[in-house]
Amino acid sequence: MESSRGATRYFGEGKGRILSEEERAAENVYIQKMEREKLEKLKRKAEKEKAEKEMAEKAKENTEKKSEGTHQH
């Protein structure tokens, strides 16, 4: 028995078909690819939000400097 390998994986809903070694490897590669793409998407989103936040802060600073300059006649 191969109980040391962990739980047997099944494919699909209710089919109960046991995956072969090659099919499991292909499934694992696919899952890893999807997870990697998801992480990259989250990273890009975080970078975009950070850049937008920095731009908003700079715009606020510029607005404050302009308003200070007009009050100091």
Side-chain angles (χ1 to χ4, degrees):
M1 292 208 123
E2 296 184 26
S3 61
S4 63
R5 288 186 170 229
T8 302
R9 303 221 20 188
Y10 294 95
F11 184 78
E13 291 182 25
K15 292 180 182 176
R17 191 168 79 82
I18 300 173
L19 298 179
S20 72
E21 190 102 7
E22 288 179 9
E23 288 170 320
R24 277 186 281 166
E27 182 184 21
N28 288 336
V29 168
Y30 176 79
I31 291 169
Q32 289 171 354
K33 179 183 174 190
M34 290 293 117
E35 289 174 349
R36 189 168 37 250
E37 288 177 2
K38 184 177 179 182
L39 289 174
E40 288 174 4
K41 185 177 179 182
L42 289 172
K43 183 179 176 182
R44 285 192 300 269
K45 182 180 177 185
E47 288 172 353
K48 182 180 176 185
E49 289 174 355
K50 182 180 176 184
E52 288 174 353
K53 183 179 177 185
E54 289 173 356
M55 286 178 61
E57 288 176 359
K58 287 182 182 180
K60 183 178 176 185
E61 289 174 6
N62 288 340
T63 304
E64 289 174 356
K65 287 180 183 178
K66 287 180 183 177
S67 64
E68 288 176 6
T70 56
H71 294 291
Q72 295 179 356
H73 282 282

